[in-house]
Amino acid sequence: MSAEDLEKYETEQELTLYREYRDVVGIFKYVVETDRRFYLCNQVDVKARTEADDVFFEVSMSDAWVWDMYRPARFAKSVKVLTFKDVNVEELVQPDVDPPKP
């Protein structure tokens, strides 16, 4: 496999992942971003923990979808992440009216 073939494959995988994201984003309430992954979920809980003068975050999510093109199954019933880096949680705004589908 050439470098060009590999790049084409990864580009196709990213496009497939984006299309899946676009299809599922409407069924989730939160976007969670960590230093390593991007998640969609319906429940999220972030707790700051301290151990030996180090602060880290414990992020628990339920009913989640993970942005990772190398995972064969992106839906997960529950996810727990421990990180020493920033965690960003945003509540998604659901439109009041569904646009008509073509």
Side-chain angles (χ1 to χ4, degrees):
M1 181 179 265
S2 70
E4 186 177 302
D5 290 339
L6 181 59
E7 186 173 323
K8 183 179 177 185
Y9 171 78
E10 287 183 343
T11 301
E12 289 171 1
Q13 289 296 100
E14 281 284 339
L15 183 57
T16 300
L17 185 60
Y18 170 74
R19 287 179 178 146
E20 183 178 326
Y21 163 82
R22 187 185 60 200
D23 291 342
V24 302
V25 69
I27 62 174
F28 293 99
K29 293 171 82 175
Y30 299 98
V31 172
V32 179
E33 188 175 0
T34 68
D35 61 315
R36 298 195 55 171
R37 296 279 189 275
F38 177 88
Y39 302 88
L40 299 172
C41 64
N42 284 320
Q43 285 187 300
V44 61
D45 182 43
V46 180
K47 293 187 173 124
R49 305 281 190 194
T50 305
E51 189 171 309
D53 295 333
D54 289 327
V55 176
F56 64 95
F57 298 98
E58 180 180 335
V59 185
S60 300
M61 294 170 268
S62 297
D63 189 21
W65 180 90
V66 58
W67 180 287
D68 185 344
M69 70 180 187
Y70 299 108
R71 288 177 62 112
R74 287 183 271 280
F75 288 95
K77 185 176 180 177
S78 63
V79 176
K80 185 177 281 193
V81 176
L82 302 177
T83 183
F84 287 96
K85 304 219 175 169
D86 290 342
V87 175
N88 184 39
V89 177
E90 295 179 34
E91 186 171 3
L92 293 169
V93 177
Q94 300 297 333
D96 291 336
V97 177
D98 290 331
K101 296 187 180 184

